[in-house]
Amino acid sequence: STDPEKALEILDREGPFAVVLSDQRMPGMSGVELVSEVCRRHPATVRIILTGFSDMDAIIQAINDGHVYAYITKPWEPEQLKQVMKRAVEHHELTVENERLLADLRRESRFLAAVIDELDSGAIALDSDGVVRAVNRPAREYFGLDEDPSGRRFRDLLEEKGLVDVGE
């Protein structure tokens, strides 16, 4: 769309879109303002700005407010623009896939925490650095833990409870 307000309407109605490519100078709204709004409404959409002007303040604002992926000055080479767009789409696909994998991991983690909590004996899951990743109900009761110690070093937890010998 040549109208930034219409572009936002299209994004809201027909999105998600992988990439938004915007000119910096448009009627009614600058490219920075547009990509900032796109960032707010559709954070996974990759944002690119084209400009014929080397306005350093606009570049900085685009980076800070709009989290732009690329800022391309005119005139550009068509092949260069194609490559930037291709990389932007790939970046979007990776971002979306990472978000999906993180959501899956969180879901599985909650499931495992629920399962481990139902065990009759105490269980503590530690990573290779000795950091607590999960503690079930019987173990929390045994150690007198009111809070979930996940993310803390197991050794520090034992020291607090005066149980260093248990760790040995």
Side-chain angles (χ1 to χ4, degrees), residues 5 25 28 45 76-78 87 89 91 98 129 155 157 162:
E5 290 295 335
R25 297 207 176 193
T45 298
W76 66 86
E77 293 295 321
R87 287 193 313 268
V89 169
H91 178 80
N98 284 343
D129 295 324
R155 184 162 190 73
L157 184 65

Side-chain angles (χ1 to χ4, degrees), residues 97-139:
E97 178 66 6
N98 284 343
E99 288 173 3
R100 186 192 65 75
L101 291 171
L102 280 171
D104 289 351
L105 187 59
R106 285 185 189 106
R107 189 173 39 258
E108 294 300 321
S109 181
R110 284 191 303 272
F111 174 74
L112 287 174
V115 168
I116 197 172
D117 235 15
E118 294 302 315
L119 296 174
D120 291 332
S121 58
I124 300 173
L126 305 175
D127 67 14
S128 60
D129 295 324
V131 175
V132 177
R133 292 298 165 205
V135 179
N136 72 351
R137 181 187 37 75

Side-chain angles (χ1 to χ4, degrees), residues 117 122-123 135-149:
D117 235 15
V135 179
N136 72 351
R137 181 187 37 75
R140 285 192 308 272
E141 289 171 0
Y142 176 79
F143 286 107
L145 301 173
D146 296 328
E147 297 177 9
D148 181 8

